[in-house]
Amino acid sequence: MILEMITIGWNNGLELRAERSRVLIDPKRTERGVPVLLTHGHRDHIPKDVKNPSSKIYATHPTTSLLTRFYGAPPESVIPLSFNETLVLGDIRITPFIAGHIIGSAMYLIEADRRRILYTGDVNPRGGFHVEGPADVPEADVVIIESTYGSPEYCFPDPHRVRAELVKWAVDLVRSGEKVLIKAYTVGKAQEVISTFNRLTNAEVVVVGEAAKSSSILARYSRLRFSLSENDPCIIITNKINPMSAGRRAIVTGWVLRRQFHGFEGFCLSSHGDFYDLIEVIRRASPQEVYTVHGMVETLANHVRREMGIRAEPLRITKV
Ligand SMILES: [Zn+2]
């Protein structure tokens, strides 16, 4: 895609090239001498060679903490950014805005040659308990948006109701003497679940496995109250449940639209926006063009074109 003096490619992550500079966002691998920006700290957005000391990676403060303390990036290779503060890389200006997906998650507004391009990364206009806030969407000429749940059948339930159901289910079981095991993704979801129990109950929660490590790192950015040693009965939050472990099991993810899920009690709480949230992000950005990436790219682009009257298509694999 060529927009006057800026070229956008989609191959090794999002690739931007202006007259005097080149930038990669969420690349699979770093490239020598090319600055990298990361939208957030989920593993599928981290370059495979993150431990390479010669790379130069920009990300928000929580994400840089994950990079160095969880993924093993050398501290000298990461540069922290603050929300709403513009970074100038040659003739490209980049400003991070709150994405509302997990703590530290950023959308990037890219400005070059008077064009404003918004790359949402993973985005959630509802926000959550353990994020900086709901997505803070700036206006842009072009929006490049994730489409993880980019189809109308994905209409998530009210997150406040889901949180209330989750804590009631767990606390009632613990009161009756049972142990509760809650499976949640290591980075983001585990902290959202801990925060849910912290805000809505006085129950003690125990966090084990990799989720304990990520939660300890991220607790400095938004308070989390949890312990690392098991008492009995108790509520345990983990990224991996041993099939031999005794106790009642639950899973918290946007992918469960029904309450019973392969032997788990399913609670539909997503870090992503649903289809209607993605439409809302586009409406707020008020662009002339939309490009979709990740997930249901065709469905979302078709809807934007037909129902919103905005030029839209999946961002094709190209190299700049
Ligand atoms: Zn993510």
Side-chain angles (χ1 to χ4, degrees), residues 35 274 300:
D274 66 11
L300 183 60

Side-chain angles (χ1 to χ4, degrees), residues 39-45 101-102 105 121-123 185 271-272:
T39 56
H40 66 289
H42 275 153
R43 192 175 290 278
D44 57 334
H45 292 256
H101 169 59
I102 63 170
S105 62
D122 290 349
V123 63
Y185 191 72
S271 311
H272 291 259

Side-chain angles (χ1 to χ4, degrees), residues 70-84:
F70 193 76
Y71 295 111
E76 65 274 18
S77 71
V78 303
I79 301 147
L81 300 173
S82 298
F83 286 112
N84 305 314

Side-chain angles (χ1 to χ4, degrees), residues 87-303:
L87 169 72
V88 179
L89 295 168
D91 43 3
I92 299 177
R93 291 161 51 83
I94 302 182
T95 310
F97 286 82
I98 293 169
H101 169 59
I102 63 170
I103 196 158
S105 62
M107 298 184 283
Y108 287 117
L109 182 69
I110 302 141
E111 295 170 275
D113 195 43
R114 299 189 303 280
R115 294 285 276 174
R116 290 161 61 89
I117 300 154
L118 178 67
Y119 178 50
T120 65
D122 290 349
V123 63
N124 187 354
R126 304 182 192 207
F129 280 175
H130 197 256
V131 296
E132 292 84 357
D136 174 21
V137 186
E139 290 197 352
D141 304 307
V142 177
V143 168
I144 301 168
I145 189 166
E146 63 124 337
S147 325
T148 307
Y149 294 104
S151 180
E153 73 259 31
Y154 289 103
C155 175
F156 293 146
D158 176 4
H160 297 294
R161 181 168 61 78
V162 176
R163 286 193 185 98
E165 287 172 358
L166 170 66
V167 298
K168 182 176 187 326
W169 174 82
V171 169
D172 284 354
L173 284 169
V174 168
R175 281 199 186 125
S176 66
E178 294 217 52
K179 182 189 273 190
V180 169
L181 298 149
I182 301 173
K183 183 175 162 132
Y185 191 72
T186 309
V187 172
K189 192 57 62 65
Q191 293 80 51
E192 192 64 29
V193 175
I194 299 166
S195 206
T196 297
F197 280 96
N198 288 175
R199 289 219 199 167
L200 303 182
T201 74
N202 290 320
E204 186 188 336
V205 293
V206 177
V207 185
V208 299
E210 289 271 280
K213 188 177 173 190
S214 56
S215 300
S216 299
I217 294 167
L218 294 171
R220 63 184 285 207
Y221 297 103
S222 178
R223 196 167 136 36
L224 294 171
R225 199 177 65 246
F226 61 94
S227 79
L228 301 171
S229 57
E230 270 183 53
N231 303 310
D232 217 337
C234 64
I235 298 165
I236 299 173
I237 297 164
T238 178
N239 52 296
K240 199 171 189 178
I241 296 179
N242 182 338
M244 306 305 287
S245 300
R248 295 287 296 274
R249 293 151 193 230
I251 185 165
V252 181
T253 170
W255 292 109
V256 287
L257 289 176
R258 59 184 187 277
R259 185 72 186 259
Q260 294 298 323
F261 186 78
H262 301 299
F264 286 82
E265 201 78 15
F267 293 93
C268 181
L269 196 60
S270 180
S271 311
H272 291 259
D274 66 11
F275 173 79
Y276 302 92
D277 294 324
L278 296 176
I279 296 296
E280 174 64 13
V281 168
I282 296 168
R283 196 190 59 72
R284 282 197 228 160
S286 188
Q288 290 104 49
E289 288 170 58
V290 171
Y291 294 88
T292 53
V293 293
H294 294 304
M296 299 170 187
V297 289
E298 297 282 356
T299 311
L300 183 60
N302 286 344
H303 181 93

